[in-house]
Amino acid sequence: MLKIAICDDEDFFLEKMKTAVEIELNKLGINNFAIETYLSSRKLAGLNENISKYNVIFLDINMQELTGLELAKHIRKYDDDVLIVFVTAFIDYSIEGYKYGVADYLLKDTFAKTLPECIRTIIKRLKLKAGTITMDFLEGRETLNTSQILYFEQ
């Protein structure tokens, strides 16, 4: 399952991002995902080592409690593999953001336009592919979503 966190201290944009990400994943046939939202950067930071439960984290840079840059630094203490995507209204921080190994940097005013490419890149990096496989069992034929298969042995 693809697990995503979105953190922005503006409720309106938080919900807008969540909806846009859901739409893009559905367009690609990825339906085995969960998105959790955080209005508080401190609450997300408080997960500490449990931050590893996410594959992707979308972070606003300009937040009141902890900035996205401070939060990215905190996340990297616990997980080097989670993909971080900065989403902000300001391009000023792009160079500094990349030192935390961010996967992408999206501007809020062009978010809807640039999100599809970002999602495709994330899917590629995580090697997720949508699809199904049909298998015959003693109990009958079953069609499985390949993103739900954790282990297979014949």
Side-chain angles (χ1 to χ4, degrees), residues 1 29-32 128-131 144-150:
M1 174 181 283
I30 307 294
N31 55 15
N32 191 18
L128 296 175
K129 294 187 178 177
L144 306 169
N145 184 328
T146 56
S147 66
Q148 295 174 325
I149 297 174
L150 300 177

Side-chain angles (χ1 to χ4, degrees), residues 41 59-72 86:
S41 53
L59 295 177
D60 183 19
I61 289 184
N62 291 315
M63 292 186 282
Q64 295 297 315
E65 299 170 324
L66 291 172
T67 68
L69 295 169
E70 293 167 329
L71 189 48
F86 281 135

Side-chain angles (χ1 to χ4, degrees), residues 23-89:
I23 289 169
E24 289 305 318
L25 289 171
N26 286 324
K27 280 183 188 175
L28 293 172
I30 307 294
N31 55 15
N32 191 18
F33 63 88
I35 300 175
E36 294 180 9
T37 58
Y38 294 85
L39 269 170
S40 164
S41 53
R42 286 212 187 276
K43 185 174 179 185
L44 181 58
L47 293 176
N48 293 326
E49 66 275 350
N50 292 326
I51 202 83
S52 295
K53 72 179 180 176
Y54 296 113
N55 307 101
V56 183
I57 301 174
F58 287 84
L59 295 177
D60 183 19
I61 289 184
N62 291 315
M63 292 186 282
Q64 295 297 315
E65 299 170 324
L66 291 172
T67 68
L69 295 169
E70 293 167 329
L71 189 48
K73 184 177 180 180
H74 181 78
I75 290 167
R76 289 297 180 229
K77 289 179 188 175
Y78 299 100
D79 193 321
D80 288 328
D81 297 324
V82 64
L83 299 177
I84 297 173
V85 177
F86 281 135
V87 183
T88 188

